[in-house]
Amino acid sequence: MTLSDAVGSVVLDAAGDRVGVVTDSDGDRLFVRPEPGALDAVASKLGWMEGQRDAYPLAPEHVATAGGGTVRLRD
């Protein structure tokens, strides 16, 4: 799976907890709509700033694996 094929995939943190869904891709970045309550847990690690957004950018260096309908984040 390429990152552009990941739209609609569930995003899991390194522990396997669901943190969002991929809503779009743009070149080498994915855009993730975070789950309610998950933003605080992953925001600082991924460089997401406070504020109301529909989706936040996810750089490829934060992705451990992508495939089978899931994107797993690095620890």
Side-chain angles (χ1 to χ4, degrees):
M1 170 189 278
T2 64
L3 291 182
S4 62
D5 295 330
V7 174
S9 294
V10 173
V11 180
L12 305 175
D13 65 11
D17 296 322
R18 184 177 169 142
V19 297
V21 175
V22 178
T23 59
D24 200 1
S25 67
D26 178 18
D28 64 348
R29 288 186 309 171
L30 298 175
F31 291 87
V32 177
R33 182 182 67 235
E35 293 289 319
L39 186 57
D40 293 339
V42 296
S44 63
K45 182 176 182 178
L46 299 177
W48 296 347
M49 303 306 263
E50 288 290 328
Q52 297 290 340
R53 289 190 186 180
D54 289 332
Y56 291 83
L58 178 62
E61 61 265 18
H62 295 295
V63 175
T65 61
T70 61
V71 173
R72 187 172 294 270
L73 302 178
R74 294 187 188 279
D75 189 19

